[in-house]
Structure formats: structure tokens, C-alpha cells
Amino acid sequence: KPQLVASNNRFCRFLEEYCPVVTETYYPTIWCWEGRVQTLLRPFITSRPQVLYRNELIKTADGGQISLDWFDNNDSLYYPDASTRPTVLLLPGLTGTSKESYILHMIHQSETLGYRCVVFNNRGIAGEDLLTPRTYCAANTEDLETVIHHVHSLYPSAPFMAAGVSMGGMLLLNYLGKTGRDTPLMAAAIFSAGWNVFESIESLEKPLNWLLFNYYLTTCLQSSINRHRQILEKLFDMDLVMKARTIREFDKQFTSVMFGYRTIDDYYEDASPCRKLKSVGIPVLCLNSVDDVFSPGHAIPVETAKQNANIALVLTSCGGHIGFLEGIWPRKCTYMDRVFKQFVQAMFEHGNKIFSM
């Protein structure tokens, strides 16, 4: 069974009644139970539900643009009125976009419940042009604040939640830690977030993890910025950036410099959500597996989470990073998908009961 960590007994009772999946035994797919295998296989095994998006480009204060992919769900039977249709903002991982299988599955789950979804694609990675020499990072929440304000201004009467995966979860937690209760979001779900960047990077630099994950992700990051080389080389030595062989080297030469950090350690300190957890002011459910090499079990801030009544951690012993595969042939629904579906439904339809139970 997963370990449910929450200091607030009311939140626990709420989850047990309306999100019972967090108390059920999780049975990982028996032939790929190890964390790294789960992580590697999920993108290839899971299906890719068909989703038709409506794209919107919005401007930022610094002259840049952000690409949003909307799933309006205009055929919703439960919420035919678009002005009050519940909305879920989805934040993909480090180099992820609205096309990732885990995002498509979240939208598929939301569609069955009648909800609307909008995917926040980080600058420059969803095919749109980079208008200014700036991309994104886990610590800077300005673009996310712009998106949340924009979505809320379009549908001020619609219940509004967010879900972040991996780096998207880190960014969302850093935003919530910064804003406290001053956010239009009523709740959030976080999946496979890296809680302490120093520990995550150290884990990913172990020889096997570097070979399986670190080097590949570094090349993905380089590929995502190389397309915008012409505008970025005004500020960066792109030849040096393209020589990076680890995420740490990439962040040292590019990310930390772009966002004005004195050292890479300053950036990693600011990007670590564990530092801001005490300030979160809305209900947040966080799912992690303790065998996730991107977010090692010993770095999950269990004691800090117990100090905030708004936080609930769900910790599984297996599942890897955005894995959580279950069943003999895990093509469709994963444990993570089920947690997402039950939690957003619980909050949208019974959220007013959370602190009265």
C-alpha cells in the first residue's frame, strides 16, 4: 500500500472517502517493477489517446510568447456551460509538451468527467518561435503566473485546478510556495516532482543513470534551444552550451546564466520545492515513488510536509519516474492516471467539504 503522509486528519479523511485510490494497494506490472525500467518503458508501452487541441499564443511582459494548447471539451454533458466548466491547467516535464502520453491520458481522464484542459508549453519547445533570448527554468514562475492569470480572466466563474508532472510539478510547487493563498487555483496535483535538485542531480550522475537518462535529457535540452540558436547566441556562447554532457553542465552554462544566478548552486537552491513547501496555501496532493532516480526517496521532504495542513504526500515503493505502470499489459490507465482522475474529481465536486469533515 502507498504511504499517505498528511498532518491534517480532515484532509486524510477527505482523500480516503473521495480519492480512495491513495489507500489501495498498488501492484506494479510484474515484469517491469524496477523503477528505471518503469521510467524507460512508459513512453513506449502506454497508448496515446487522440486529442484535438486549439492552440493559442499569448504575449508576455518582456515581449515573448507562450503557446497554450486547449482541449475545450465543448461536448461536455456534465458542464455544457463553458463559463462554469471546471478547468485543469497541465504542466509537462522538463522537455515535455502537450504531445506527451501522460498529458494525453490526463486529458482523456478529464474528458470523461466533463472538464476542460489547457496545457502550458514552456517557451520555445512546442514549435513556436522564440521572440526574446529567454526560455524557462524550474525556479522562475513569471510565465506560469501569466498563464494562470490569463486562463482565470477568460473563465473567472469556472473552478480552476492545476496538475504538474516532473519539472512541471516543481514549477507549480514553487509558484504555490510563492503565492500562498493568493492564487485563483483551488487545488493542485503534483506527480514525480524533484524535491531537492542537488539530490536529483547527484542521483542522475551515477554512471548507469547518466547512461540511461542524464545524457539523453541533456541532448534533448540542447536540441530544444539549438532551433533558436540565432536569437540565443546574442547572449550565450552556444558552442560551449552544446558541448555539455550532463544536465548540470547545461544548467551551469545556460539556465543559471539566463536567469541571473551568481552560481549554479544558487539556481539549484532556488529551484528546489522542498524549501517552499511550508508556504503552500491550497490543498495539494503529491505522488512520488521512492525508487525514482530523478527524485530519490531519501530527498522527499516528509517531515516538512507534515508541518503544512494543505499537503498530502502519496509515496509508493515502486513506480519509477512518471511510470506507475500496473496490470499485465499496461497500455491504458496507470496508477498515476487514476490518482489524477480521482483527485481532480474529488476537489471539483466535493472540495467544499475538505476542511469540514
Side-chain angles (χ1 to χ4, degrees):
K1 281 195 172 186
Q3 180 187 0
L4 178 59
V5 178
S7 65
N8 188 329
N9 289 331
R10 290 176 178 176
F11 198 179
C12 273
R13 288 197 298 271
F14 176 84
L15 291 172
E16 288 165 1
E17 181 167 347
Y18 297 110
C19 188
V21 65
V22 303
T23 65
E24 296 172 6
T25 302
Y26 163 56
Y27 297 98
T29 298
I30 195 163
W31 50 269
C32 65
W33 55 270
E34 202 271 340
R36 283 174 290 222
V37 180
Q38 284 247 357
T39 305
L40 288 167
L41 288 183
R42 171 168 178 157
F44 301 102
I45 289 180
T46 51
S47 62
R48 303 179 67 82
Q50 189 134 17
V51 175
L52 291 176
Y53 288 118
R54 170 177 63 85
N55 183 257
E56 179 186 21
L57 294 175
I58 63 172
K59 298 296 182 186
T60 60
D62 69 335
Q65 64 180 358
I66 301 169
S67 174
L68 301 179
D69 281 320
W70 289 86
F71 174 73
D72 295 300
N73 206 1
N74 288 325
D75 297 326
S76 173
L77 297 176
Y78 300 111
Y79 301 95
D81 182 357
S83 67
T84 55
R85 185 176 303 144
T87 304
V88 187
L89 174 65
L90 301 175
L91 287 72
L94 182 61
T95 58
T97 67
S98 58
K99 297 175 182 174
E100 305 305 319
S101 65
Y102 56 83
I103 294 291
L104 299 175
H105 276 271
M106 286 180 170
I107 291 175
H108 178 65
Q109 301 288 354
S110 301
E111 180 183 14
T112 63
L113 297 168
Y115 307 152
R116 169 175 47 228
C117 292
V118 53
V119 185
F120 166 35
N121 297 296
N122 285 302
R123 290 198 203 193
I125 63 168
E128 84 284 9
D129 291 331
L130 208 58
L131 302 183
T132 60
R134 167 178 164 161
T135 56
Y136 60 93
C137 75
N140 189 291
T141 62
E142 291 172 3
D143 283 358
L144 178 55
E145 290 168 42
T146 298
V147 169
I148 288 173
H149 174 75
H150 174 73
V151 174
H152 182 59
S153 69
L154 291 176
Y155 303 104
S157 301
F160 190 17
M161 278 183 66
V165 181
S166 190
M167 194 211 78
M170 296 165 65
L171 182 64
L172 182 53
L173 282 166
N174 285 330
Y175 160 80
L176 294 173
K178 177 181 176 182
T179 57
R181 292 179 182 168
D182 188 21
T183 173
L185 298 175
M186 61 182 293
I190 310 292
F191 301 100
S192 295
W195 289 97
N196 183 317
V197 181
F198 296 100
E199 298 289 349
S200 295
I201 290 295
E202 186 176 324
S203 172
L204 286 168
E205 288 178 347
K206 292 177 179 177
L208 182 57
N209 296 338
W210 176 84
L211 190 66
L212 293 175
F213 306 110
N214 198 327
Y215 180 68
Y216 171 73
L217 271 176
T218 304
T219 61
C220 288
L221 286 165
Q222 290 167 326
S223 177
S224 71
I225 65 168
N226 200 40
R227 196 171 70 82
H228 309 289
R229 190 177 185 118
Q230 193 171 358
I231 193 167
L232 290 172
E233 60 189 0
K234 295 175 182 176
L235 296 181
F236 300 94
D237 182 346
M238 292 296 288
D239 289 332
L240 188 61
V241 174
M242 298 306 286
K243 288 177 182 174
R245 289 297 172 262
T246 65
I247 295 172
R248 188 195 298 266
E249 289 175 5
F250 179 88
D251 286 337
K252 183 178 181 180
Q253 300 296 344
F254 186 76
T255 316
S256 60
V257 177
M258 171 173 285
F259 288 95
Y261 290 96
R262 191 173 55 85
T263 67
I264 188 173
D265 285 356
D266 290 339
Y267 166 51
Y268 282 170
E269 183 81 11
D270 201 24
S272 299
C274 60
R275 295 177 62 250
K276 305 183 181 77
L277 201 55
K278 291 179 183 177
S279 306
V280 173
I282 61 171
V284 177
L285 181 69
C286 307
L287 174 66
N288 280 89
S289 172
V290 297
D291 69 353
D292 181 353
V293 300
F294 287 77
S295 186
H298 66 267
I300 298 171
V302 172
E303 294 307 313
T304 308
K306 289 178 181 176
Q307 297 171 35
N308 187 333
N310 292 300
I311 305 297
L313 302 180
V314 179
L315 308 178
T316 61
S317 55
C318 318
H321 187 71
I322 328 175
F324 302 102
L325 301 172
E326 56 186 358
I328 297 299
W329 184 240
R331 281 281 293 160
K332 295 186 179 177
C333 198
T334 68
Y335 180 75
M336 173 179 138
D337 298 329
R338 293 196 292 131
V339 171
F340 168 81
K341 182 178 183 180
Q342 288 191 18
F343 184 64
V344 295
Q345 184 175 22
M347 291 308 306
F348 280 145
E349 298 180 17
H350 307 285
N352 60 325
K353 301 175 186 175
I354 196 165
F355 294 120
S356 62
M357 296 184 73

